[in-house]
Amino acid sequence: MSAVPATMAEAVNTLLRAAGTEQVRLDVGPFAAGSVPEAVTAAQHVLQLLDLHEQAEEELTDALVAAQDRLLALYDLTRVQAESRDHAEAHERTATAVLTSTECDSGVLVGGGLLYEAGDEAHFPVLTRIAKEAVARGLTEPAVWPDAPTPTMVAPVPVSTSPALAMAVTRTRGPAFDTGDVKLVAAVAAVIGGLVNLTRLHRSEVRRAQLEQEHQMASELAQAVLSTEPPQVPGAEVYARCVPANLAGGDFFTFAPRDGALWFAVGDVAGKGLPAAMIMTRAVTAIRNACVAGRSDDPADVVNQVNEELFGYLVDAGRFITMAVGRYLPGSGHVDICNAGHSPLARADRSGVTVIPPATLPIGALSTVNARSLRLPFAEGDLLVLGSDGLAEQQDPHGRLFGYERFLTAVGNAHEALSYGRRHDDVPAQVARRLFAEVALHAADTQPDDDCTLVVLRAAEVDR
């Protein structure tokens, strides 16, 4: 083990030998009093260099530790959304990570009513004002804000949807913001923008899921209003089916037996989806009440009564309803029907197919519609087909409509097929299935744009 140098010169020579330099030898003898030999000067210089080296090493170590802390804060910032259990926790962790990564004392995130704050509360008012001003100016790049009471930097937060956001941070201790800080704040703002986008998307998906659930429940309630099974009235065979284009729709049908007669109605609320379905439920209730009230045997009176009840409601909703209301007393040889702007309606007998034209304005068009009914022959074996425009207006892959003429032809073919000795069991169901099949064949997997409803009524033999 080598001896510890006794003098400064020995220490310097030891350093020189360690460095492999033997050409220079310093006198190791005693120094003259009051003299400052070159050896001492050289040693002092070397020691100063050593001090500077140690100081630089300490500063570099501190910088590396600070950089590591910033990297860890940025890493934590990127993990916030995935690991946080709720939005409040995510915002708290985000704010903490932002201040740590930027070495700032206080920060705010502002835009479109959105306001998050973190750090020293004393700086919140000024930072909020600066961030709002940056949003108003349309700031596109991070920048050191001039004339701020403390060193302040503001940066736009990139988000995929409006409103625009801006982040403002201030540092009251430590060095002023430099070019490296600008890049760092820009990176932090980009990460926050991603978190804000994810948060907005998550909330949007939650709202969408809630709306879908509410829509599904409303659809089930609306569909429950429709009669699933037509009433059994001797001498009248009925089949009814409604296929909404969406979860819920505005098409409807309803039945009400009274005094041996079958009252029936089919209709279509203008529009689609849940709003139309909600109006439909009220319309069905009004029609049923009017049919069973027993005030008259004329379907036109039912239409007038429903229009009077629903007119104000429909005006407020900006909607109207096309519908047809009818009454058939088996064995009477006729059917009474009031068509309030609805189509397609057709009667099929041995002589062919007859269109039943509208004779009254739709419900909700005027406060008073002055409805009137038509009395049509309806003997045993005749068919009454009440559809909705979704059937006739079904498109094929090339955009061509099924059409009203083709619909009437299909009704005639279905009735003619029954006349040639086919089975007469469940005739209305056979006719309806054939009509739906022809429309589906035309559509060739093209999704319907509107609800499709079909009611088929057949005059059957009446037991005497």
Side-chain angles (χ1 to χ4, degrees):
M1 182 176 181
S2 60
V4 176
T7 66
M8 185 72 71
E10 287 182 3
V12 173
N13 282 328
T14 300
L15 290 173
L16 294 173
R17 284 195 301 273
T21 304
E22 296 291 338
Q23 291 83 355
V24 180
R25 291 284 299 174
L26 298 177
D27 184 8
V28 297
F31 301 134
S35 65
V36 184
E38 293 183 3
V40 175
T41 303
Q44 290 176 339
H45 183 64
V46 170
L47 291 177
Q48 289 175 355
L49 292 177
L50 288 174
D51 288 340
L52 291 174
H53 174 74
E54 291 177 357
Q55 182 180 352
E57 188 177 53
E58 290 177 358
E59 292 178 354
L60 180 60
T61 300
D62 292 341
L64 289 173
V65 171
Q68 182 68 16
D69 290 341
R70 286 187 173 190
L71 287 175
L72 290 175
L74 285 173
Y75 178 64
D76 186 59
L77 188 60
T78 61
R79 296 188 307 170
V80 167
Q81 194 69 26
E83 296 181 355
S84 298
R85 292 184 295 274
D86 54 41
H87 296 304
E89 180 184 351
H91 296 152
E92 181 179 355
R93 286 187 58 185
T94 298
T96 301
V98 167
L99 296 184
T100 302
S101 61
T102 59
E103 296 183 337
C104 289
D105 305 301
S106 184
V108 298
L109 179 66
V110 176
L114 183 69
L115 176 62
Y116 298 130
E117 303 168 326
D120 189 350
E121 298 179 0
H123 302 290
F124 290 166
V126 174
L127 292 178
T128 300
R129 175 182 58 79
I130 291 174
K132 289 182 177 179
E133 188 174 344
V135 171
R137 291 185 183 181
L139 185 70
T140 58
E141 297 291 339
V144 176
W145 199 257
D147 303 327
T150 57
T152 300
M153 181 174 292
V154 62
V157 176
V159 289
S160 58
T161 58
S162 60
L165 301 178
M167 178 184 72
V169 292
T170 186
R171 179 191 294 166
T172 58
R173 297 183 298 273
F177 291 109
D178 55 21
T179 304
D181 290 316
V182 172
K183 294 181 179 180
L184 176 62
V185 170
V188 171
V191 174
I192 292 178
L195 297 179
V196 171
N197 287 334
L198 286 175
T199 299
R200 287 178 174 176
L201 178 62
H202 175 67
R203 288 177 173 173
S204 175
E205 288 300 311
V206 169
R207 285 195 297 267
R208 186 179 64 83
Q210 290 173 340
L211 287 175
E212 284 186 355
Q213 183 178 15
E214 293 174 359
H215 196 167
Q216 179 66 42
M217 294 176 63
S219 172
E220 292 173 357
L221 291 174
Q223 292 302 308
V225 172
L226 300 179
S227 302
T228 54
E229 291 292 337
Q232 299 295 320
V233 175
E237 298 176 354
V238 185
Y239 178 87
R241 182 186 178 191
C242 182
V243 182
N246 300 301
L247 286 176
D251 280 14
F252 63 87
F253 58 80
T254 188
F255 305 93
R258 177 164 64 86
D259 300 332
L262 175 65
W263 288 82
F264 55 90
V266 61
D268 181 7
V269 178
K272 305 178 181 66
L274 189 57
M278 294 298 94
I279 295 174
M280 177 269 288
T281 59
R282 183 163 179 177
V284 168
T285 302
I287 294 169
R288 285 179 180 169
N289 291 339
C291 287
V292 300
R295 298 179 183 177
S296 169
D297 289 339
D298 187 355
D301 292 336
V302 171
V303 172
N304 287 329
Q305 182 177 337
V306 171
N307 185 76
E308 180 179 354
E309 179 179 343
L310 299 183
F311 177 75
Y313 171 67
L314 292 173
V315 169
D316 291 340
R319 305 293 178 108
F320 63 87
I321 304 173
T322 66
M323 70 177 190
V325 179
R327 175 183 178 273
Y328 173 57
L329 180 63
S332 65
H334 64 264
V335 61
D336 295 318
I337 189 165
C338 178
N339 183 0
H342 196 77
S343 64
L345 304 184
R347 182 180 64 87
D349 58 18
R350 296 178 182 272
S351 60
V353 178
T354 303
V355 176
I356 304 174
T360 301
L361 292 173
I363 302 299
L366 294 175
S367 58
T368 303
V369 294
N370 295 320
R372 57 189 179 87
S373 299
L374 298 176
R375 174 161 289 185
L376 306 172
F378 201 57
E380 182 180 334
D382 292 351
L383 294 178
L384 191 64
V385 180
L386 316 175
S388 66
D389 54 8
L391 293 165
E393 295 175 3
Q394 172 63 55
Q395 297 182 359
D396 67 6
H398 303 288
R400 294 186 293 259
L401 300 180
F402 184 73
Y404 290 90
E405 290 298 327
R406 189 177 303 182
F407 178 84
L408 297 175
T409 300
V411 171
N413 291 339
H415 184 266
E416 185 177 357
L418 296 173
S419 301
Y420 283 107
R422 301 284 184 89
R423 287 179 54 194
H424 283 200
D425 297 337
D426 298 326
V427 168
Q430 294 182 48
V431 172
R433 282 194 289 266
R434 176 165 179 162
L435 293 176
F436 272 114
E438 292 204 29
V439 172
L441 182 64
H442 172 80
D445 295 328
T446 302
Q447 294 300 312
D449 293 326
D450 201 358
D451 310 328
C452 295
T453 298
L454 195 61
V455 173
V456 180
L457 171 65
R458 178 176 180 266
E461 181 179 356
V462 179
D463 295 332
R464 301 297 182 182

